Amino acid sequence: AAGRGKSKKAAAAAAPAAPRNCKALPANPRDWRVLGIESSCDDTGAAVLNGYGRILGEAIASQSGIHAQWGGVVPKLAQEGHRQAIDATVEEALSRAKVAAADLAAVSVTVGPGLGM
């Protein structure tokens, strides 16, 4: 009986979405706390900003000492450097901003071009 029932895909699309564990943004952008993470090349950077772009705290982990001996960025070394530095860099930016991770309204990360972790 073609056309009698909905396909599984159509039924799934019609089903109500499961509730997500998301909180609403504060009404005033000044109260937003957004963590930005940049890792597209050799340095690992993190900053916490409010909704107007004011920097509340930032940190950067440089890899210049790692790459200087090679005369340029070595992608595999940069990738490993990001892995080693990301947690401490983010923690330092949060600490300087006096913001707890639970208080963040959003997180923004480098998508490309560049290195993936």
Side-chain angles (χ1 to χ4, degrees):
R4 289 181 119 190
K6 291 183 180 178
S7 71
K8 288 181 184 179
K9 187 175 183 179
R20 297 181 354 186
N21 186 18
C22 296
K23 61 183 179 183
L25 285 172
N28 186 341
R30 184 170 288 127
D31 297 330
W32 299 2
R33 298 299 178 258
V34 179
L35 172 65
I37 300 172
E38 203 294 313
S39 59
S40 62
C41 191
D42 56 333
D43 293 339
T44 305
V48 179
L49 295 85
N50 69 16
Y52 292 116
R54 179 172 169 254
I55 298 171
L56 306 174
E58 62 185 323
I60 189 163
S62 175
Q63 294 184 20
S64 62
I66 296 171
H67 303 289
Q69 64 185 336
W70 303 103
V73 176
V74 178
K76 189 67 176 162
L77 295 178
Q79 189 178 49
E80 183 57 31
H82 289 308
R83 282 193 193 105
Q84 292 175 0
I86 190 69
D87 290 342
T89 304
V90 167
E91 288 172 17
E92 184 64 24
L94 290 169
S95 174
R96 290 179 180 177
K98 297 177 177 59
V99 171
D103 295 330
L104 293 171
V107 177
S108 171
V109 297
T110 304
V111 175
L115 299 169
M117 280 202 285

